[in-house]
Amino acid sequence: MSALSVVSVADRAGFHIFASALRASNYFAKLEGTGPFTVFAPTDAAFRALAPAALEKLLNRENGGTDAFLGYHFAAG
């Protein structure tokens, strides 16, 4: 059995918004590689609790929001 990537595990576990953010980030290629990684993933409900404008800003790759946000949610090891 092959190892699953962080993004695949997030999707399978129901963290769809977090997984989408990972796919849109500069971290995607690294997290598709071999780990191990420790991930602190907010639930979809936590994302939905944000105001729509705040969520859009947070997940906006164009202004660097996605990478800045995600950088606090995983660590090597």
Side-chain angles (χ1 to χ4, degrees):
M1 174 189 260
S2 64
L4 295 173
S5 70
V6 170
V7 178
S8 296
V9 171
D11 258 336
R12 288 178 181 212
F15 294 86
H16 303 294
I17 297 172
F18 187 75
S20 293
L22 289 173
R23 281 188 199 89
S25 76
N26 291 321
Y27 294 114
F28 179 70
K30 181 175 180 79
L31 294 172
E32 283 290 294
T34 57
F37 301 104
T38 300
V39 179
F40 307 95
T43 64
D44 284 359
F47 281 109
R48 288 188 201 107
L50 295 170
L55 181 59
E56 184 175 328
K57 182 178 179 182
L58 185 70
L59 299 179
N60 184 335
R61 183 177 183 167
E62 301 301 316
N63 69 11
T66 304
D67 287 344
F69 164 73
L70 290 174
Y72 293 107
H73 288 84
F74 59 87

